[in-house]
Amino acid sequence: MANHGEIAYSTADGNDYVAHEATYEGFINLVKYGTIGVALIVILMAIFLV
């Protein structure tokens, strides 16, 4: 097999850290507000469906 050596991700072409961080922050916000939304639905179900 061919030895391709180590890949240096920090110097590789095509790494867009600004876009990566923006996507990660968007994902974190989606999870945060999604969790709050589901918890709110469960609380409202506990109040109104009993």
Side-chain angles (χ1 to χ4, degrees):
M1 296 194 152
N3 183 6
H4 296 289
E6 276 190 51
I7 299 172
Y9 289 104
S10 62
T11 60
D13 292 337
N15 285 341
D16 189 356
Y17 287 109
V18 174
H20 170 76
E21 290 176 358
T23 302
Y24 179 72
E25 187 166 338
F27 171 75
I28 293 298
N29 283 331
L30 176 68
V31 170
K32 179 172 47 177
Y33 292 120
T35 301
I36 291 170
V38 169
L40 182 63
I41 290 170
V42 170
I43 291 169
L44 290 173
M45 287 174 62
I47 293 171
F48 292 110
L49 294 178
V50 172

Tab-separated table of all heavy atoms in Angstrom:
chain	number	residue	atom	x	y	z
A	1	MET	N	0.833	-1.184	0.000
A	1	MET	CA	0.000	0.000	0.000
A	1	MET	C	0.874	1.242	0.000
A	1	MET	O	1.963	1.259	0.542
A	1	MET	CB	-0.903	0.024	1.225
A	1	MET	CG	-1.890	-1.084	1.299
A	1	MET	SD	-3.101	-0.648	2.547
A	1	MET	CE	-4.463	-1.534	1.905
A	2	ALA	N	0.330	2.278	-0.539
A	2	ALA	CA	1.076	3.528	-0.617
A	2	ALA	C	1.062	4.230	0.729
A	2	ALA	O	0.062	4.228	1.441
A	2	ALA	CB	0.464	4.424	-1.676
A	3	ASN	N	2.173	4.828	1.059
A	3	ASN	CA	2.271	5.608	2.281
A	3	ASN	C	2.039	7.068	1.912
A	3	ASN	O	2.857	7.699	1.243
A	3	ASN	CB	3.631	5.422	2.927
A	3	ASN	CG	3.740	6.165	4.239
A	3	ASN	OD1	2.758	6.726	4.716
A	3	ASN	ND2	4.924	6.168	4.822
A	4	HIS	N	0.918	7.605	2.348
A	4	HIS	CA	0.574	8.976	2.001
A	4	HIS	C	1.071	9.975	3.027
A	4	HIS	O	0.897	11.174	2.853
A	4	HIS	CB	-0.946	9.117	1.834
A	4	HIS	CG	-1.489	8.305	0.704
A	4	HIS	ND1	-1.254	8.619	-0.608
A	4	HIS	CD2	-2.224	7.178	0.685
A	4	HIS	CE1	-1.820	7.725	-1.393
A	4	HIS	NE2	-2.424	6.828	-0.624
A	5	GLY	N	1.653	9.506	4.092
A	5	GLY	CA	2.158	10.412	5.121
A	5	GLY	C	1.029	11.008	5.939
A	5	GLY	O	-0.139	10.667	5.796
A	6	GLU	N	1.411	11.888	6.822
A	6	GLU	CA	0.410	12.548	7.664
A	6	GLU	C	-0.239	13.697	6.915
A	6	GLU	O	0.415	14.407	6.171
A	6	GLU	CB	1.064	13.099	8.929
A	6	GLU	CG	1.196	12.085	10.026
A	6	GLU	CD	1.623	12.730	11.332
A	6	GLU	OE1	0.978	13.720	11.735
A	6	GLU	OE2	2.588	12.247	11.909
A	7	ILE	N	-1.516	13.883	7.178
A	7	ILE	CA	-2.245	14.995	6.593
A	7	ILE	C	-2.232	16.138	7.591
A	7	ILE	O	-2.621	15.959	8.745
A	7	ILE	CB	-3.694	14.598	6.249
A	7	ILE	CG1	-3.697	13.459	5.241
A	7	ILE	CG2	-4.464	15.787	5.727
A	7	ILE	CD1	-5.069	12.881	4.993
A	8	ALA	N	-1.783	17.281	7.177
A	8	ALA	CA	-1.760	18.459	8.047
A	8	ALA	C	-3.035	19.252	7.787
A	8	ALA	O	-3.111	20.035	6.852
A	8	ALA	CB	-0.530	19.296	7.782
A	9	TYR	N	-4.038	19.016	8.615
A	9	TYR	CA	-5.333	19.660	8.394
A	9	TYR	C	-5.261	21.171	8.579
A	9	TYR	O	-6.024	21.915	7.992
A	9	TYR	CB	-6.396	19.069	9.308
A	9	TYR	CG	-6.776	17.667	8.919
A	9	TYR	CD1	-6.323	16.578	9.631
A	9	TYR	CD2	-7.583	17.446	7.816
A	9	TYR	CE1	-6.662	15.287	9.261
A	9	TYR	CE2	-7.924	16.170	7.427
A	9	TYR	CZ	-7.467	15.086	8.158
A	9	TYR	OH	-7.799	13.823	7.777
A	10	SER	N	-4.357	21.630	9.405
A	10	SER	CA	-4.285	23.074	9.638
A	10	SER	C	-3.724	23.825	8.435
A	10	SER	O	-3.941	25.021	8.297
A	10	SER	CB	-3.430	23.364	10.870
A	10	SER	OG	-2.110	22.892	10.654
A	11	THR	N	-2.997	23.132	7.568
A	11	THR	CA	-2.430	23.795	6.394
A	11	THR	C	-3.028	23.289	5.092
A	11	THR	O	-2.607	23.709	4.025
A	11	THR	CB	-0.907	23.581	6.352
A	11	THR	OG1	-0.636	22.185	6.291
A	11	THR	CG2	-0.236	24.182	7.570
A	12	ALA	N	-3.990	22.404	5.158
A	12	ALA	CA	-4.587	21.848	3.948
A	12	ALA	C	-5.398	22.911	3.215
A	12	ALA	O	-5.994	23.796	3.834
A	12	ALA	CB	-5.481	20.659	4.290
A	13	ASP	N	-5.393	22.830	1.904
A	13	ASP	CA	-6.185	23.768	1.107
A	13	ASP	C	-7.669	23.475	1.283
A	13	ASP	O	-8.075	22.333	1.391
A	13	ASP	CB	-5.837	23.644	-0.377
A	13	ASP	CG	-4.429	24.123	-0.662
A	13	ASP	OD1	-3.911	24.918	0.140
A	13	ASP	OD2	-3.858	23.687	-1.683
A	14	GLY	N	-8.469	24.509	1.297
A	14	GLY	CA	-9.914	24.339	1.357
A	14	GLY	C	-10.500	24.370	2.751
A	14	GLY	O	-11.701	24.223	2.903
A	15	ASN	N	-9.681	24.541	3.778
A	15	ASN	CA	-10.238	24.647	5.131
A	15	ASN	C	-10.774	26.051	5.341
A	15	ASN	O	-10.053	27.031	5.235
A	15	ASN	CB	-9.174	24.342	6.184
A	15	ASN	CG	-8.876	22.871	6.274
A	15	ASN	OD1	-9.669	22.059	5.840
A	15	ASN	ND2	-7.738	22.527	6.854
A	16	ASP	N	-12.060	26.145	5.630
A	16	ASP	CA	-12.707	27.430	5.852
A	16	ASP	C	-13.197	27.458	7.287
A	16	ASP	O	-14.320	27.067	7.591
A	16	ASP	CB	-13.858	27.606	4.861
A	16	ASP	CG	-14.440	28.998	4.879
A	16	ASP	OD1	-13.996	29.815	5.709
A	16	ASP	OD2	-15.339	29.263	4.074
A	17	TYR	N	-12.334	27.894	8.189
A	17	TYR	CA	-12.660	27.844	9.612
A	17	TYR	C	-13.785	28.800	9.985
A	17	TYR	O	-14.545	28.524	10.913
A	17	TYR	CB	-11.414	28.131	10.454
A	17	TYR	CG	-10.455	26.967	10.437
A	17	TYR	CD1	-9.249	27.045	9.767
A	17	TYR	CD2	-10.777	25.785	11.080
A	17	TYR	CE1	-8.390	25.976	9.740
A	17	TYR	CE2	-9.924	24.708	11.055
A	17	TYR	CZ	-8.728	24.809	10.385
A	17	TYR	OH	-7.882	23.743	10.352
A	18	VAL	N	-13.909	29.909	9.284
A	18	VAL	CA	-14.993	30.852	9.588
A	18	VAL	C	-16.331	30.181	9.303
A	18	VAL	O	-17.259	30.242	10.120
A	18	VAL	CB	-14.818	32.149	8.765
A	18	VAL	CG1	-16.009	33.062	8.975
A	18	VAL	CG2	-13.526	32.848	9.147
A	19	ALA	N	-16.455	29.516	8.162
A	19	ALA	CA	-17.697	28.820	7.820
A	19	ALA	C	-17.923	27.648	8.771
A	19	ALA	O	-19.059	27.378	9.175
A	19	ALA	CB	-17.658	28.328	6.386
A	20	HIS	N	-16.852	26.964	9.146
A	20	HIS	CA	-16.974	25.831	10.072
A	20	HIS	C	-17.513	26.306	11.415
A	20	HIS	O	-18.426	25.686	11.979
A	20	HIS	CB	-15.610	25.171	10.253
A	20	HIS	CG	-15.569	24.168	11.353
A	20	HIS	ND1	-16.109	22.917	11.221
A	20	HIS	CD2	-15.078	24.242	12.604
A	20	HIS	CE1	-15.939	22.256	12.357
A	20	HIS	NE2	-15.318	23.043	13.213
A	21	GLU	N	-16.953	27.380	11.936
A	21	GLU	CA	-17.400	27.885	13.231
A	21	GLU	C	-18.831	28.416	13.164
A	21	GLU	O	-19.594	28.255	14.116
A	21	GLU	CB	-16.441	28.958	13.732
A	21	GLU	CG	-15.098	28.379	14.138
A	21	GLU	CD	-14.091	29.432	14.540
A	21	GLU	OE1	-14.417	30.635	14.467
A	21	GLU	OE2	-12.986	29.045	14.931
A	22	ALA	N	-19.207	29.025	12.056
A	22	ALA	CA	-20.573	29.525	11.903
A	22	ALA	C	-21.568	28.368	11.848
A	22	ALA	O	-22.638	28.429	12.461
A	22	ALA	CB	-20.685	30.380	10.648
A	23	THR	N	-21.203	27.315	11.143
A	23	THR	CA	-22.067	26.140	11.065
A	23	THR	C	-22.205	25.483	12.432
A	23	THR	O	-23.294	25.080	12.841
A	23	THR	CB	-21.508	25.129	10.049
A	23	THR	OG1	-21.404	25.764	8.784
A	23	THR	CG2	-22.401	23.909	9.933
A	24	TYR	N	-21.084	25.376	13.158
A	24	TYR	CA	-21.112	24.769	14.485
A	24	TYR	C	-21.980	25.591	15.436
A	24	TYR	O	-22.782	25.041	16.192
A	24	TYR	CB	-19.693	24.656	15.032
A	24	TYR	CG	-19.635	24.054	16.411
A	24	TYR	CD1	-19.884	22.695	16.609
A	24	TYR	CD2	-19.350	24.829	17.526
A	24	TYR	CE1	-19.843	22.146	17.875
A	24	TYR	CE2	-19.307	24.284	18.787
A	24	TYR	CZ	-19.552	22.938	18.955
A	24	TYR	OH	-19.518	22.402	20.207
A	25	GLU	N	-21.850	26.905	15.386
A	25	GLU	CA	-22.668	27.758	16.255
A	25	GLU	C	-24.151	27.640	15.903
A	25	GLU	O	-25.003	27.620	16.785
A	25	GLU	CB	-22.223	29.209	16.162
A	25	GLU	CG	-22.927	30.089	17.153
A	25	GLU	CD	-22.256	31.442	17.313
A	25	GLU	OE1	-21.064	31.549	17.003
A	25	GLU	OE2	-22.951	32.361	17.755
A	26	GLY	N	-24.456	27.536	14.616
A	26	GLY	CA	-25.841	27.330	14.205
A	26	GLY	C	-26.389	26.009	14.711
A	26	GLY	O	-27.543	25.928	15.161
A	27	PHE	N	-25.568	24.966	14.666
A	27	PHE	CA	-25.987	23.667	15.168
A	27	PHE	C	-26.237	23.719	16.677
A	27	PHE	O	-27.241	23.180	17.168
A	27	PHE	CB	-24.917	22.616	14.852
A	27	PHE	CG	-25.164	21.294	15.508
A	27	PHE	CD1	-26.135	20.441	15.024
A	27	PHE	CD2	-24.417	20.904	16.611
A	27	PHE	CE1	-26.363	19.219	15.629
A	27	PHE	CE2	-24.640	19.688	17.221
A	27	PHE	CZ	-25.619	18.841	16.732
A	28	ILE	N	-25.355	24.378	17.409
A	28	ILE	CA	-25.517	24.491	18.860
A	28	ILE	C	-26.803	25.249	19.192
A	28	ILE	O	-27.558	24.860	20.089
A	28	ILE	CB	-24.287	25.183	19.491
A	28	ILE	CG1	-23.061	24.291	19.348
A	28	ILE	CG2	-24.535	25.539	20.949
A	28	ILE	CD1	-23.166	22.957	20.052
A	29	ASN	N	-27.078	26.323	18.455
A	29	ASN	CA	-28.321	27.071	18.683
A	29	ASN	C	-29.546	26.226	18.359
A	29	ASN	O	-30.549	26.281	19.077
A	29	ASN	CB	-28.334	28.355	17.865
A	29	ASN	CG	-27.462	29.420	18.469
A	29	ASN	OD1	-27.274	29.466	19.678
A	29	ASN	ND2	-26.905	30.268	17.630
A	30	LEU	N	-29.483	25.452	17.287
A	30	LEU	CA	-30.595	24.571	16.926
A	30	LEU	C	-30.865	23.555	18.036
A	30	LEU	O	-32.017	23.343	18.428
A	30	LEU	CB	-30.303	23.852	15.613
A	30	LEU	CG	-31.338	22.833	15.153
A	30	LEU	CD1	-32.628	23.543	14.761
A	30	LEU	CD2	-30.799	22.025	13.993
A	31	VAL	N	-29.822	22.954	18.560
A	31	VAL	CA	-29.988	21.973	19.639
A	31	VAL	C	-30.532	22.644	20.895
A	31	VAL	O	-31.440	22.120	21.546
A	31	VAL	CB	-28.644	21.264	19.931
A	31	VAL	CG1	-28.717	20.439	21.196
A	31	VAL	CG2	-28.248	20.397	18.748
A	32	LYS	N	-30.004	23.812	21.223
A	32	LYS	CA	-30.433	24.522	22.435
A	32	LYS	C	-31.915	24.889	22.363
A	32	LYS	O	-32.694	24.553	23.271
A	32	LYS	CB	-29.583	25.774	22.625
A	32	LYS	CG	-29.948	26.592	23.837
A	32	LYS	CD	-28.973	27.730	24.114
A	32	LYS	CE	-28.631	28.534	22.906
A	32	LYS	NZ	-27.740	29.675	23.203
A	33	TYR	N	-32.305	25.548	21.278
A	33	TYR	CA	-33.698	25.982	21.172
A	33	TYR	C	-34.638	24.813	20.877
A	33	TYR	O	-35.794	24.837	21.288
A	33	TYR	CB	-33.841	27.080	20.122
A	33	TYR	CG	-33.152	28.355	20.560
A	33	TYR	CD1	-32.122	28.896	19.806
A	33	TYR	CD2	-33.510	28.983	21.745
A	33	TYR	CE1	-31.473	30.056	20.220
A	33	TYR	CE2	-32.871	30.143	22.160
A	33	TYR	CZ	-31.858	30.668	21.397
A	33	TYR	OH	-31.219	31.815	21.813
A	34	GLY	N	-34.150	23.798	20.218
A	34	GLY	CA	-34.964	22.596	20.009
A	34	GLY	C	-35.269	21.902	21.322
A	34	GLY	O	-36.390	21.450	21.561
A	35	THR	N	-34.268	21.818	22.186
A	35	THR	CA	-34.462	21.198	23.500
A	35	THR	C	-35.439	22.017	24.341
A	35	THR	O	-36.322	21.469	25.009
A	35	THR	CB	-33.114	21.070	24.228
A	35	THR	OG1	-32.236	20.288	23.423
A	35	THR	CG2	-33.283	20.434	25.592
A	36	ILE	N	-35.294	23.327	24.309
A	36	ILE	CA	-36.224	24.189	25.043
A	36	ILE	C	-37.636	24.020	24.506
A	36	ILE	O	-38.604	23.946	25.273
A	36	ILE	CB	-35.761	25.656	24.965
A	36	ILE	CG1	-34.476	25.845	25.759
A	36	ILE	CG2	-36.846	26.603	25.462
A	36	ILE	CD1	-33.798	27.187	25.549
A	37	GLY	N	-37.785	23.945	23.192
A	37	GLY	CA	-39.107	23.763	22.588
A	37	GLY	C	-39.752	22.448	22.977
A	37	GLY	O	-40.945	22.407	23.316
A	38	VAL	N	-38.988	21.377	22.955
A	38	VAL	CA	-39.540	20.070	23.335
A	38	VAL	C	-39.911	20.061	24.812
A	38	VAL	O	-40.963	19.536	25.192
A	38	VAL	CB	-38.537	18.945	22.999
A	38	VAL	CG1	-38.951	17.624	23.617
A	38	VAL	CG2	-38.394	18.804	21.494
A	39	ALA	N	-39.065	20.648	25.659
A	39	ALA	CA	-39.381	20.707	27.087
A	39	ALA	C	-40.660	21.516	27.319
A	39	ALA	O	-41.501	21.140	28.148
A	39	ALA	CB	-38.215	21.332	27.854
A	40	LEU	N	-40.827	22.602	26.580
A	40	LEU	CA	-42.040	23.408	26.699
A	40	LEU	C	-43.273	22.616	26.283
A	40	LEU	O	-44.315	22.666	26.963
A	40	LEU	CB	-41.911	24.675	25.855
A	40	LEU	CG	-43.076	25.647	25.903
A	40	LEU	CD1	-43.258	26.186	27.315
A	40	LEU	CD2	-42.838	26.780	24.923
A	41	ILE	N	-43.172	21.858	25.211
A	41	ILE	CA	-44.296	21.020	24.759
A	41	ILE	C	-44.648	19.986	25.821
A	41	ILE	O	-45.824	19.766	26.133
A	41	ILE	CB	-43.978	20.359	23.420
A	41	ILE	CG1	-43.956	21.410	22.312
A	41	ILE	CG2	-44.966	19.250	23.092
A	41	ILE	CD1	-43.425	20.904	20.984
A	42	VAL	N	-43.643	19.354	26.402
A	42	VAL	CA	-43.897	18.336	27.433
A	42	VAL	C	-44.542	18.973	28.662
A	42	VAL	O	-45.475	18.405	29.249
A	42	VAL	CB	-42.589	17.605	27.800
A	42	VAL	CG1	-42.759	16.736	29.025
A	42	VAL	CG2	-42.102	16.775	26.618
A	43	ILE	N	-44.080	20.156	29.064
A	43	ILE	CA	-44.674	20.841	30.215
A	43	ILE	C	-46.120	21.208	29.930
A	43	ILE	O	-47.001	21.006	30.785
A	43	ILE	CB	-43.832	22.092	30.578
A	43	ILE	CG1	-42.495	21.667	31.145
A	43	ILE	CG2	-44.591	22.998	31.538
A	43	ILE	CD1	-41.493	22.789	31.287
A	44	LEU	N	-46.387	21.729	28.733
A	44	LEU	CA	-47.768	22.079	28.383
A	44	LEU	C	-48.657	20.834	28.318
A	44	LEU	O	-49.826	20.902	28.706
A	44	LEU	CB	-47.795	22.840	27.063
A	44	LEU	CG	-47.199	24.261	27.108
A	44	LEU	CD1	-47.117	24.858	25.721
A	44	LEU	CD2	-48.012	25.140	28.037
A	45	MET	N	-48.134	19.733	27.842
A	45	MET	CA	-48.916	18.486	27.823
A	45	MET	C	-49.224	18.027	29.244
A	45	MET	O	-50.335	17.552	29.501
A	45	MET	CB	-48.143	17.388	27.082
A	45	MET	CG	-48.104	17.586	25.574
A	45	MET	SD	-47.055	16.391	24.742
A	45	MET	CE	-47.886	14.866	25.144
A	46	ALA	N	-48.255	18.182	30.142
A	46	ALA	CA	-48.486	17.784	31.530
A	46	ALA	C	-49.561	18.655	32.180
A	46	ALA	O	-50.315	18.184	33.030
A	46	ALA	CB	-47.187	17.879	32.323
A	47	ILE	N	-49.626	19.912	31.803
A	47	ILE	CA	-50.611	20.813	32.391
A	47	ILE	C	-51.999	20.577	31.811
A	47	ILE	O	-52.988	20.450	32.546
A	47	ILE	CB	-50.192	22.288	32.173
A	47	ILE	CG1	-48.924	22.590	32.976
A	47	ILE	CG2	-51.320	23.245	32.547
A	47	ILE	CD1	-48.302	23.945	32.659
A	48	PHE	N	-52.106	20.502	30.481
A	48	PHE	CA	-53.410	20.511	29.839
A	48	PHE	C	-53.988	19.126	29.535
A	48	PHE	O	-55.171	19.033	29.245
A	48	PHE	CB	-53.348	21.316	28.531
A	48	PHE	CG	-53.141	22.786	28.789
A	48	PHE	CD1	-51.937	23.394	28.462
A	48	PHE	CD2	-54.126	23.563	29.370
A	48	PHE	CE1	-51.737	24.741	28.683
A	48	PHE	CE2	-53.944	24.907	29.605
A	48	PHE	CZ	-52.724	25.505	29.259
A	49	LEU	N	-53.214	18.084	29.596
A	49	LEU	CA	-53.734	16.759	29.280
A	49	LEU	C	-53.997	15.902	30.523
A	49	LEU	O	-54.289	14.733	30.409
A	49	LEU	CB	-52.781	16.013	28.343
A	49	LEU	CG	-52.639	16.630	26.947
A	49	LEU	CD1	-51.635	15.834	26.133
A	49	LEU	CD2	-53.977	16.676	26.240
A	50	VAL	N	-53.892	16.504	31.689
A	50	VAL	CA	-54.161	15.751	32.926
A	50	VAL	C	-55.576	15.925	33.357
A	50	VAL	O	-56.265	16.815	33.156
A	50	VAL	CB	-53.187	16.201	34.055
A	50	VAL	CG1	-53.560	15.593	35.380
A	50	VAL	CG2	-51.771	15.851	33.669
